[in-house]
Amino acid sequence: MYTIGIDLGGTNIVAAVVNEKYEIVAKAKTPTAMPRTPEEIFDDIAKVCRESMEEAGITIADIDSVGMGTPGTVNSQGIIEFANNLGFDHVPARQMLADRLGIDEVYIENDANCAALGEAYAGSGNGAKDFVAVTLGTGVGSGVIVEGKLVTGVNNAGGECGHMVIVVDGEECTCGRKGCWEAYASATALINQTKRAMQEYPDSVMHELAEKEGKVSGRTAFDAMRHGDIAGIKVVDQYVKYIACGLINIVNALQPEVICVGGGICNEGETLMRPLRRYVEAERYSVYSKIQTKIVKASLGNDAGIIGAAILKQAK
Amino acid sequence: MYTIGIDLGGTNIVAAVVNEKYEIVAKAKTPTAMPRTPEEIFDDIAKVCRESMEEAGITIADIDSVGMGTPGTVNSQGIIEFANNLGFDHVPARQMLADRLGIDEVYIENDANCAALGEAYAGSGNGAKDFVAVTLGTGVGSGVIVEGKLVTGVNNAGGECGHMVIVVDGEECTCGRKGCWEAYASATALINQTKRAMQEYPDSVMHELAEKEGKVSGRTAFDAMRHGDIAGIKVVDQYVKYIACGLINIVNALQPEVICVGGGICNEGETLMRPLRRYVEAERYSVYSKIQTKIVKASLGNDAGIIGAAILKQAK
C-alpha cells in the first residue's frame, strides 16, 4: 500500500505518493496562486494528488490514507480554524479533501508538526520514537513526538517550543510575550543581533559584507567570523548560546532521543552544530547519564513535511 | 486485585495497599533511620509492605504489582543509580524488592514522577491523560504525563521542567545552569526574594513578621501583602509572575489538559492560584483556543507519591 502526503504552502501545493519505507515515489506540484477561494485551492490539491498517483502508476484504490500539512491551526476534526497566509477561516479541510478524492482516511495537521514527523520517521531521527524538531527560520518552529506520536495537546496547539520564554521581560515576541526563545534564536533575531553589533562596531567587516550582499542576512555574522572579525565572533557565539539555551530546556523537560535542528541557518553545518552540541553537553541536567539526547541537523529539507503528512494516520 | 505503592523518603518509608479505584485501603510506616545499608533499608521496606497487607487482610497472592517512588535517578532496569540523601550508588532496587516480597512485577521510579502520576490518575488531574505536575518546594520538581504515560525520555531523566532557563545568565541554580525556573519559582527562591526586599524596604512589616516567626519563610511576603505592605505586594506579584512564566512555557510546549501546582506555597490557595491563572490566560500562545489547559492546585498531598507508585505498572 501507498499513502499520499501533501504540503499546502502559501506559494506551492505539493503532493507525493509515499511507499511503506517512507520514500517518495512520485511527486506533483502547482502554484497556490493566492488569493483564491478554499474551493478552488482544494480542487487543485485533489488535482496534484491525482497527478502524483498517475505518475506512480497507481489509483486511489492503492492508497491507504492521505495526509496534509498546512500553515495555521487545525482542530481535531480536521478543520483549519485559522491560517493567516491562506486567508482560511474554519475551512473543513478533511471533509473537502475526502469528498474530492473519494477516500475516508484523510488527516490534516500543522505543517511544522508534519515536518517533525517526517524527520523523526524517515530523516535525521532515524526512527527515533522520542524526538523534537526545531526549525530556525523567520520564527522558531517546533514539533514534539513522544512514543512515536505527535504531542498536540488538549487543543491541538501544542509543540510551540519557540514560545518558551528564556529571558523574563526580554525582547518583544510576535506572540505577545516578552523574551521568547524565538525572539533570540530565529534567523530574524540573528539579523537584529547582527545589526546591533554593526552599530556598536563601525570598523567591523560586517559592514562590507552586508554592502556586498545588499543586505544584512543570517550569513553576515558567520561570514565575518570566518574573517576573524571580533564583532562577528561575538554575535555568532551569543546566538549559538541562545539556540543552545532552548535546546537544553527541551532536553531537561523531555530527554528526547534526538533533537533535529533545521532551517536556513543550518546550512552553516558543523560551524553551527559543533559549538551547539558543546553548550548542550556542558549544561544539560542529565550530565552524568550514559545515554544522552543527540543533537543533529535536519536532513530531509522540504520533503520532511510531505513525508510527515503521509505518515499522519499512524502518528496521530 | 490490589497493588502496593511505596514512598521511600529520607525520613520515612511508607507502604500502602491500593485498590482498583486508586484508593488507599491500608497503610504502614517506619523511619528510614539513616545512615543504614541498602540491605537494611530494603528489609524494612518489605516489612512495611507486609504490615500494610496484614492490615488490609490480604496476602501477596492478592497483589498484582508493587511500585516504589524514590529520590534520585532510576534507570530502566529499576536500579537506583544515584540517590544523594540515601547514600545509594547503583542499588538494584527492583531486584531487591522482588526477592524480598516474592513477586516479579516490581516497578521503581523517581518520587516526583510518582507524585505526578498519582495526581493525574487519582487527584487533581481527575484522570487527565495529558498532565504535568509541578511542585514548588526547596526546588521545583515536575512530572510530565502524555497519553497516560510518564515521559521519562531516552535515559529516564526527563521531566525536569524546573531546570528550564527562564532568565539567560540569571541566578545561579543548584544544577550548574544560570537562570533556571527553579532559581526563581521555588520556595527557596521566594525566601531569597523576600530577604532582598527586606533590605531594600527597612520599614516593611516583613521585618516584624519574620522576627515573630523566628525566620524569613515562604509565608512572610504573603502575610505582609495581607497587611497591605508595599514590599510584600511587590515580592508576591513578582514571584507569581515567575511561576506563571514557567507554567506558560509548559502550556506552549505541551498544551496538557491539566497542570497541577503543589508544595507548601500552595497552602496560600486561591491567593496564589487566582493571579497565577490570570497571568497564564493572558500570555499563552493558544489565547484564541476554545479548550485551554486548566491550572489547578494539587489535591493528594503526600499520598500522591504512594498512589502514583501503585499505578506504575500501567503508566510506564
Side-chain angles (χ1 to χ4, degrees):
Chain A
M1 288 297 270
Y2 297 90
T3 57
I4 291 178
I6 304 159
D7 181 23
L8 171 58
T11 311
N12 285 304
I13 302 163
V14 186
V17 173
V18 173
N19 69 17
E20 285 171 2
K21 289 178 189 159
Y22 312 130
E23 293 159 345
I24 291 177
V25 297
K27 206 192 249 183
K29 183 171 159 179
T30 194
T32 315
M34 296 297 300
R36 288 199 292 168
T37 66
E39 284 72 21
E40 291 169 322
I41 292 174
F42 275 79
D43 286 345
D44 262 6
I45 296 173
K47 193 191 74 184
V48 291
C49 286
R50 280 187 219 103
E51 285 169 7
S52 70
M53 285 187 281
E54 202 166 308
E55 202 196 306
I58 60 170
T59 70
I60 194 74
D62 301 305
I63 298 295
D64 180 61
S65 67
V66 176
M68 184 172 84
T70 169
T73 317
V74 185
N75 72 17
S76 57
Q77 282 86 50
I79 293 165
I80 302 172
E81 294 194 335
F82 183 69
N84 194 25
N85 55 348
L86 296 171
F88 282 7
D89 183 3
H90 286 82
V91 170
R94 207 204 68 75
Q95 197 55 53
M96 289 173 79
L97 210 47
D99 290 347
R100 280 164 176 77
L101 290 173
I103 183 170
D104 269 350
E105 297 269 17
V106 176
Y107 299 84
I108 316 286
E109 183 55 67
N110 173 270
D111 49 8
N113 282 343
C114 288
L117 270 183
E119 286 288 346
Y121 278 73
S124 55
N126 204 12
K129 293 287 174 221
D130 293 318
F131 181 88
V132 177
V134 171
T135 307
L136 309 173
T138 312
V140 172
S142 77
V144 177
I145 292 161
V146 170
E147 299 261 340
K149 306 274 179 192
L150 271 176
V151 175
T152 53
V154 71
N155 48 16
N156 229 37
E160 291 290 348
C161 296
H163 297 286
M164 299 199 300
V165 161
I166 63 163
V167 181
V168 162
D169 292 330
E171 305 256 354
E172 302 256 354
C173 182
T174 53
C175 79
R177 294 187 86 184
K178 282 182 181 171
C180 285
W181 189 28
E182 168 164 312
Y184 292 85
S186 62
T188 316
L190 170 60
I191 291 167
N192 290 336
Q193 290 156 20
T194 304
K195 284 179 180 167
R196 270 181 232 157
M198 286 168 68
Q199 284 187 332
E200 205 183 324
Y201 293 87
D203 296 336
S204 163
V205 72
M206 297 197 285
H207 293 278
E208 270 174 60
L209 294 168
E211 207 175 289
K212 248 187 242 166
E213 204 185 334
K215 64 178 179 187
V216 177
S217 78
R219 273 193 306 276
T220 311
F222 279 94
D223 285 343
M225 179 189 73
R226 279 182 279 268
H227 281 79
D229 182 78
I230 294 284
I233 291 168
K234 278 192 176 175
V235 170
V236 169
D237 182 55
Q238 184 61 60
Y239 178 65
V240 172
K241 276 184 188 163
Y242 287 137
I243 303 172
C245 178
L247 293 182
I248 302 164
N249 284 357
I250 295 171
V251 169
N252 288 355
L254 299 172
Q255 296 281 351
E257 199 176 329
V258 179
I259 301 178
C260 92
V261 186
I265 297 291
C266 289
N267 293 332
E268 294 292 338
E270 286 301 302
T271 309
L272 174 70
M273 299 305 291
R274 207 176 304 119
L276 205 48
R277 285 192 203 102
R278 209 159 44 218
Y279 284 124
V280 175
E281 277 160 23
E283 279 196 34
R284 59 191 159 198
Y285 190 74
S286 56
V287 69
Y288 298 111
S289 291
K290 274 181 209 150
I291 309 171
Q292 299 283 6
T293 302
K294 290 188 194 82
I295 312 289
V296 301
K297 201 182 140 199
S299 67
L300 294 179
N302 292 332
D303 284 346
I306 298 167
I307 296 173
I311 297 171
L312 279 173
K313 184 185 171 184
Q314 66 181 103
K316 279 195 75 159
Chain B
M1 289 297 271
Y2 297 90
T3 57
I4 291 179
I6 304 161
D7 181 21
L8 170 57
T11 312
N12 286 303
I13 301 162
V14 187
V17 173
V18 172
N19 69 17
E20 285 171 2
K21 289 179 192 158
Y22 311 130
E23 294 160 344
I24 292 177
V25 297
K27 205 191 251 184
K29 184 172 160 178
T30 194
T32 314
M34 296 297 299
R36 287 198 294 168
T37 65
E39 284 71 21
E40 289 170 322
I41 292 173
F42 276 79
D43 286 346
D44 261 7
I45 296 172
K47 195 190 74 183
V48 291
C49 286
R50 280 187 218 103
E51 285 170 7
S52 71
M53 285 188 280
E54 202 166 308
E55 201 196 306
I58 60 170
T59 70
I60 194 74
D62 301 304
I63 297 296
D64 180 60
S65 67
V66 176
M68 183 171 85
T70 170
T73 318
V74 185
N75 72 18
S76 57
Q77 282 85 50
I79 294 165
I80 302 172
E81 294 194 333
F82 184 69
N84 193 26
N85 56 349
L86 296 171
F88 282 7
D89 182 3
H90 287 82
V91 171
R94 206 205 70 75
Q95 197 55 53
M96 289 173 79
L97 210 49
D99 290 346
R100 281 165 175 76
L101 292 173
I103 183 170
D104 268 351
E105 296 270 17
V106 176
Y107 299 83
I108 316 287
E109 184 54 67
N110 172 268
D111 49 8
N113 282 344
C114 288
L117 271 183
E119 286 288 345
Y121 278 73
S124 55
N126 204 13
K129 293 286 175 221
D130 293 318
F131 181 88
V132 177
V134 170
T135 307
L136 310 172
T138 312
V140 172
S142 77
V144 176
I145 293 161
V146 170
E147 298 263 341
K149 306 276 181 191
L150 272 175
V151 175
T152 54
V154 71
N155 49 14
N156 229 37
E160 293 289 348
C161 296
H163 297 285
M164 300 198 300
V165 161
I166 63 164
V167 182
V168 162
D169 292 330
E171 305 257 353
E172 301 256 354
C173 181
T174 52
C175 77
R177 294 187 86 184
K178 282 182 181 170
C180 285
W181 189 28
E182 170 164 312
Y184 293 85
S186 63
T188 315
L190 171 59
I191 291 167
N192 290 337
Q193 290 156 19
T194 304
K195 284 179 181 167
R196 271 182 230 156
M198 286 168 69
Q199 284 186 333
E200 205 184 324
Y201 294 87
D203 296 337
S204 162
V205 72
M206 296 198 284
H207 293 278
E208 269 175 61
L209 294 168
E211 206 175 289
K212 248 188 239 168
E213 204 186 333
K215 63 178 180 191
V216 177
S217 78
R219 273 192 306 277
T220 311
F222 279 94
D223 286 343
M225 178 189 74
R226 278 183 279 267
H227 281 80
D229 182 76
I230 294 284
I233 292 167
K234 279 192 175 175
V235 170
V236 169
D237 183 54
Q238 184 60 60
Y239 178 64
V240 172
K241 276 184 189 163
Y242 286 138
I243 302 172
C245 178
L247 293 182
I248 301 163
N249 283 359
I250 295 170
V251 169
N252 288 355
L254 300 171
Q255 297 280 350
E257 199 177 328
V258 179
I259 301 179
C260 93
V261 186
I265 298 291
C266 289
N267 293 332
E268 295 292 338
E270 285 301 302
T271 309
L272 174 69
M273 298 306 291
R274 206 176 305 118
L276 205 48
R277 284 192 204 103
R278 208 158 44 217
Y279 284 125
V280 175
E281 277 160 24
E283 279 196 34
R284 60 190 159 199
Y285 190 74
S286 55
V287 69
Y288 299 111
S289 291
K290 274 181 209 150
I291 308 172
Q292 298 284 6
T293 302
K294 291 187 193 84
I295 311 288
V296 302
K297 200 183 142 201
S299 66
L300 294 179
N302 291 333
D303 284 346
I306 299 167
I307 295 172
I311 297 170
L312 279 173
K313 184 184 170 184
Q314 67 181 103
K316 278 195 76 161

